[in-house]
Amino acid sequence: MADVRGSPIIDHVPGAVAVPDDDPLGRAGVAWHYGAPLVEQRDALAGRGVVDLGHRRVLRLTGADRVDYVNTLFSQLVGEEPTEALNLDPQGRVLHHMAITPTAGALYIDAEPAGFGELRDYLTRMIFRFDVQVAETGHHVLGILGADPDRWPEGCLPHPRRAMSTLLAPEGGAIAAWDALVAGGARPTGLMAWEAERVAGLRPEVAADLDAKAIPHEVPGWIGAAVHLDKGCYRGQETVSRVHNLGRPPRTLVLLQLDGSAGERPAPGDPVLAGRRAVGRVGTVVDHHEYGPVALALVKRSAQTAAGLTAGGCAVAVDPATVFRDDSPKPGRVAVDRLRGR
């Protein structure tokens, strides 16, 4: 479990109900809600909500080679605009997902707390002859649900991302940034609302929603957003290229609708079952203000339209709007067939 990092905002905002200290995903020390989580989510999406994401950790990369350096390591082509990226193992399996915010003198990387130490150590270990310095910073991550502010708080680094933006408040500046956003019309909103919208938007977190076998193409939304298909070499690129050009992943990330009347709910890591056969894995489970109880899950493509699925003793169904079907001919397969005269 990641170390517990208390947030100054938890004692600054009345009515905060904190994530417990034993949270297995390292989110302790921030507010799960402020008394009415479903109302908070609805009102935030109708206008703007500010969420304490102070459990996330931030690295700063400086040095003349910082951009070239991360472009040799990660799946995305980093330039001048904020972006996302993945760190893969040599077999192309996902180890870390991160947000990258470039500035004139540095790159800022914020990532979920689970696995952060390994990411920091990997970045430090791979420097070799690059002119790069890696250091953890005291920046505090805040989330924005709904519309972006007309003006971001002074001294903060924004990372706009389609109705789920983040910003990095400087060390010691979390409360000032929070108060500026609230003064600008943002509603204090708990992490539960952020998680619910993350699930509805098929935005996984590695520790919560993926397993050790997950590859980037199993999360279709990452292709383009966090994976650049035409950049230079990086670890795990062979798998990304092979799946893109020749095949399709056997599983994809989907939204599960849960039976709200069931006495039990699945837990992260529970298998999705078709009868007695495991066809998937449950990730984050949360209540959404509009959809009710929902979950992310990696489910085999062959089972995504099946009836009678269960997980953790609860009847579940794959939301058909999240069933990803790209049956267009793969460029590599077309080339192979042409060579074989098919």
Side-chain angles (χ1 to χ4, degrees):
M1 186 178 73
D3 59 313
V4 176
R5 292 160 55 92
S7 169
I9 295 172
I10 196 76
D11 295 321
H12 180 67
V13 183
V17 176
V19 176
D21 286 350
D22 61 354
D23 179 71
L25 299 176
R27 303 170 301 179
V30 301
W32 185 239
H33 62 79
Y34 295 97
L38 299 181
V39 175
E40 290 167 19
Q41 185 190 5
R42 182 196 64 204
D43 291 351
L45 293 173
R48 183 185 305 132
V50 56
V51 183
D52 184 5
L53 303 180
H55 59 287
R56 292 183 65 87
R57 310 277 286 275
V58 182
L59 293 170
R60 178 174 56 233
L61 275 63
T62 54
D65 298 333
R66 63 189 181 278
V67 174
D68 291 340
Y69 179 56
V70 297
N71 278 328
T72 67
L73 298 181
F74 300 146
S75 63
Q76 183 57 284
L77 183 64
V78 176
E80 298 180 355
E81 298 298 323
T83 191
E84 302 171 50
L86 303 176
N87 180 32
L88 309 179
D89 75 5
Q91 288 72 46
R93 295 172 294 213
V94 179
L95 298 176
H96 306 98
H97 172 257
M98 67 205 81
I100 301 179
T101 304
T103 68
L107 290 178
Y108 290 87
I109 295 176
D110 78 86
E112 58 193 89
F116 178 85
E118 290 83 357
L119 175 62
R120 179 193 57 218
D121 293 346
Y122 177 64
L123 277 163
T124 302
R125 188 172 65 248
M126 297 302 292
I127 289 175
F128 301 119
R129 297 184 180 180
F130 285 95
D131 178 11
V132 177
Q133 297 80 45
V134 178
E136 185 171 0
T137 81
H139 283 76
H140 192 103
V141 185
L142 297 177
I144 307 297
L145 273 179
D148 288 338
D150 297 327
R151 182 179 178 181
W152 296 93
E154 186 175 352
C156 295
L157 303 174
H159 192 296
R161 280 186 285 184
R162 302 191 309 278
M164 289 189 73
S165 300
T166 56
L167 65 85
L168 305 181
E171 185 168 6
I175 290 178
W178 179 278
D179 288 347
L181 290 164
V182 171
R187 176 192 175 101
T189 304
L191 183 63
M192 177 178 163
W194 180 269
E195 292 289 276
E197 197 59 23
R198 181 177 67 76
V199 168
L202 299 183
R203 297 171 176 262
E205 290 196 345
V206 176
D209 302 308
L210 306 184
D211 59 19
K213 298 179 181 179
I215 61 174
H217 279 81
E218 292 180 330
V219 183
W222 274 350
I223 306 305
V227 177
H228 195 289
L229 295 173
D230 299 313
K231 72 181 291 289
C233 292
Y234 56 92
R235 189 174 68 174
Q237 185 190 34
E238 294 83 358
T239 297
V240 173
S241 179
R242 184 168 61 250
V243 174
H244 175 67
N245 285 292
L246 295 175
R248 298 178 180 86
R251 312 177 297 179
T252 59
L253 190 76
V254 296
L255 180 70
L256 291 184
Q257 300 281 359
L258 311 184
D259 179 3
S261 65
E264 299 181 6
R265 289 188 182 179
D270 281 350
V272 178
L273 301 175
R276 296 183 179 181
R277 181 170 61 98
V279 296
R281 176 196 182 277
V282 175
T284 301
V285 181
V286 70
D287 286 296
H288 190 279
H289 80 106
E290 184 177 357
Y291 306 133
V294 292
L296 284 176
L298 284 169
V299 177
K300 292 182 178 180
R301 290 162 51 89
S302 59
Q304 289 176 1
T305 57
L309 298 179
T310 62
C314 174
V316 303
V318 175
D319 187 327
T322 66
V323 174
F324 181 73
R325 287 288 183 268
D326 178 10
D327 295 321
S328 59
K330 295 293 184 177
R333 184 61 60 192
V334 170
V336 170
D337 289 345
R338 187 180 298 116
L339 286 171
R340 294 178 176 176
R342 295 176 183 172

